[in-house]
Amino acid sequence: MSAAPSLRPAPVLRPRVAEDLAARLARSAAATGAGRDLRTADVDDWLAQRARAHRFRVERVPLGRLDGWSFADGTGNLVHHTGRFFSVEGLSVTLGEGPVRSWQQPIIRQPEVGILGILAKEFDGVLHFLMQAKMEPGNRNVLQLSPTVQATRSNYSTVHRGAKVKYLEYFTGPRRGQVHADVLQSEHGSWFYRKANRNMLVEVGEDTEAPPDEDFCWLTLGQIGELLRRDNLVNMDARTVIACFPPVHSFPGALLTDAELQSWFTVERSRHDVDIRRIPLDEVEGWTRGEDVVEHTDGRYFRVVGVRVEAGNREVSRWDQPLLEPVGTGVTAFLYRRIGGIPHLLVHAKVEAGFLDTVELAPTVQANPGNWRHLPPEDRPPFLELALDPPAGRVRYAVVHSEEGGRFLNAESRYLFIETDDSQTPLDPPPGYQWATPGQLKALTAHGHYVNVQARTLLSCIDAGAVQL
């Protein structure tokens, strides 16, 4: 196995038209089994090797004993002594419709914009993508495949006085490659308040020389697709960037035109009566704050916990931080059917309290079942039971993926594509739901705050060939 390379500034690339890039991405998606550095079958051994090469440890620590963190006087907000990184505050939410019209909750506020960037390069005529074996304290299995760069502004501006972020220069400052994608996208709207990251794809020249860096490797898009069929292997940040790649597949023949879909979504955004206010963490009703943890009085939803981290290959080798720990495993599913012979996904215009624009397009089902069991069946999310107990032989994809491991502890959801028919998902769906082709959703990922992070995970599985509809 050859060592994975780092890069030096690339020469200016010749311009490429979008159709050319789409064909090159499709060729990379078709390249499975092996790439420039690794066979797909050897990725597990490579990750295990990287885990042995560094010291990793995550220990739970009471919130009151976190080094550098404290509950602020007057608000009770959980904040870092520098005033940077992020804080845990309170949110008060009132909706104009739905079974639950109002609630309060803790939420992570991280106003700075981070960078999620993947470098691409051709080897033997096939695009490869530089992926990182990255430790995140919230990952159940510690190391997962991450983008080339995954960093908050506090990280890459070295507020922590640690090492510089590798390859950052390809995504900031003077351009050292060709930018194929650069778009602001939201993160989890139920757990983050208006959080956004730049999702970037940058290609470097074929003749770029590359000394080795052992925590990175080049993989084809098809290899990433093979790994997306595995539980907890390709991290959330890599999945969202891949979803923002220019389209690999074409899905013509949509039930609605692009203008009709856009109009429907605009109506959905404008019709909701929503009041969202930041409040002090001390004032959040229904939650208790102890020395160890912040949690809901009924034990549902999530808790805020503290961890002490050691990571030998991170910019800082030791730190403390809070993490949000969900209660239970989520279920995230696109129900789909063929309409006129073309696959269509049933999308949900979903209100989430932390979104910048209140509503984004989400999968058909996006829920933690345990959070809804106390409500009568008619008040639970539509199609939830179908996602939990799909018809035999109709599941086209089912994999457990981790959510963002830098802020969430053991946060996992079972991601699914389930084929349906008119008896389960009619052409005229319930209010808030609509049919769209994967291509229509892909086109919207070129714009910020349209397609939510869970839907982008499922789109990445289509792009990389992990699922065939």
Side-chain angles (χ1 to χ4, degrees):
M1 182 188 77
S2 58
S6 61
L7 304 169
R8 71 181 187 184
V12 176
L13 301 180
R14 64 184 182 277
R16 298 182 185 270
V17 297
E19 292 78 10
D20 184 27
L21 177 60
R24 295 164 68 222
L25 287 167
R27 187 162 59 248
S28 182
T32 58
R36 187 259 190 188
D37 286 335
L38 289 171
R39 297 185 309 156
T40 310
D42 293 333
V43 169
D44 281 338
D45 288 343
W46 177 69
L47 287 171
Q49 179 190 78
R50 301 323 309 148
R52 290 192 299 269
H54 305 285
R55 176 177 172 80
F56 299 118
R57 184 180 179 186
V58 179
E59 173 191 4
R60 294 206 184 210
V61 176
L63 291 173
R65 291 172 47 201
L66 290 178
D67 184 30
W69 295 82
S70 62
F71 293 103
D73 293 337
T75 64
N77 293 343
L78 187 55
V79 297
H80 194 259
H81 71 91
T82 62
R84 301 288 296 276
F85 300 107
F86 64 95
S87 59
V88 181
E89 304 180 2
L91 205 67
S92 178
V93 183
T94 303
L95 305 180
E97 63 180 26
V100 181
R101 300 291 181 94
S102 65
W103 71 90
Q104 295 182 351
Q105 66 169 89
I107 200 158
I108 298 171
R109 182 170 179 262
Q110 186 173 332
E112 59 188 35
V113 174
I115 292 178
L116 307 177
I118 294 180
L119 280 181
K121 181 183 174 185
E122 275 194 4
F123 295 98
D124 298 324
V126 177
L127 276 174
H128 286 61
F129 304 90
L130 190 61
M131 308 301 290
Q132 178 182 179
K134 188 175 182 67
M135 181 272 190
E136 292 287 357
N139 290 345
R140 192 180 295 278
N141 55 348
V142 185
L143 285 179
Q144 294 188 15
L145 282 177
S146 306
T148 318
V149 167
Q150 176 184 322
T152 67
R153 185 183 300 161
S154 291
N155 288 142
Y156 65 74
S157 59
T158 62
V159 170
H160 47 47
R161 299 182 181 178
K164 292 183 178 180
V165 175
K166 296 175 182 177
Y167 305 114
L168 179 66
E169 64 272 19
Y170 289 88
F171 302 94
T172 59
R175 292 301 180 200
R176 303 190 177 198
Q178 184 172 355
V179 178
H180 291 310
D182 189 353
V183 58
L184 278 177
Q185 296 287 10
S186 64
E187 289 204 29
H188 297 75
S190 294
W191 298 335
F192 277 117
Y193 182 74
R194 299 185 176 182
K195 174 73 169 67
N197 287 314
R198 290 176 70 186
N199 286 235
M200 303 181 67
L201 173 64
V202 175
E203 183 180 356
V204 294
E206 294 90 337
D207 58 349
T208 301
E209 294 183 9
D213 191 311
E214 302 245 319
D215 288 323
F216 295 76
C217 70
W218 292 103
L219 299 174
T220 68
L221 188 55
Q223 288 183 283
I224 296 170
E226 292 176 301
L227 298 170
L228 279 166
R229 299 188 188 112
R230 304 268 305 281
D231 291 350
N232 292 325
L233 208 157
V234 180
N235 85 346
M236 184 218 78
D237 300 284
R239 301 190 305 262
T240 178
V241 176
I242 291 167
C244 296
F245 286 9
V248 176
H249 306 287
S250 175
F251 294 92
L255 179 66
L256 301 184
T257 66
D258 292 349
E260 290 170 334
L261 182 64
Q262 177 78 48
S263 177
W264 168 79
F265 185 52
T266 301
V267 170
E268 287 297 317
R269 273 192 164 164
S270 60
R271 75 177 180 86
H272 291 280
D273 184 13
V274 180
D275 179 41
I276 298 169
R277 294 180 295 112
R278 288 166 51 203
I279 61 175
L281 187 60
D282 273 350
E283 295 181 10
V284 173
E285 297 178 355
W287 295 74
T288 60
R289 192 192 93 190
E291 178 72 8
D292 293 349
V293 65
V294 176
E295 59 187 342
H296 193 266
T297 53
D298 293 335
R300 289 194 298 268
Y301 310 116
F302 60 85
R303 60 182 70 91
V304 181
V305 300
V307 293
R308 180 158 295 152
V309 186
E310 294 182 32
N313 67 342
R314 292 290 297 265
E315 293 81 22
V316 174
S317 60
R318 292 179 177 84
W319 73 92
D320 289 2
Q321 70 169 92
L323 289 172
L324 186 154
E325 182 181 31
V327 177
T329 299
V331 59
T332 304
F334 262 132
L335 306 186
Y336 82 95
R337 55 181 289 195
R338 289 185 171 271
I339 302 173
I342 303 300
H344 283 67
L345 307 173
L346 186 57
V347 299
H348 180 199
K350 186 174 177 61
V351 175
E352 296 191 61
F355 284 155
L356 178 64
D357 289 324
T358 307
V359 175
E360 293 191 13
L361 294 175
T364 322
V365 175
Q366 178 190 313
N368 186 322
N371 294 341
W372 297 90
R373 290 195 185 106
H374 65 292
L375 296 176
E378 63 270 19
D379 287 341
R380 296 170 189 169
F383 308 106
L384 176 59
E385 294 307 315
L386 181 58
L388 292 173
D389 187 20
R394 292 296 188 92
V395 176
R396 301 292 175 253
Y397 179 86
V399 176
V400 174
H401 288 304
S402 297
E403 305 304 337
E404 212 280 310
R407 298 292 177 265
F408 312 136
L409 179 63
N410 299 331
E412 296 171 318
S413 188
R414 188 167 187 251
Y415 281 85
L416 303 109
F417 282 95
I418 302 170
E419 188 174 7
T420 62
D421 56 35
D422 192 63
S423 66
Q424 299 154 329
T425 51
L427 279 183
D428 186 16
Y433 293 80
Q434 191 52 269
W435 293 104
T437 67
Q440 287 178 308
L441 289 189
K442 277 293 298 179
L444 291 174
T445 64
H447 309 280
H449 306 289
Y450 275 80
V451 181
N452 82 350
V453 69
Q454 289 89 345
R456 296 198 303 272
T457 276
L458 288 167
L459 287 178
S460 76
C461 298
I462 297 175
D463 285 347
V467 60
Q468 303 289 333
L469 301 184

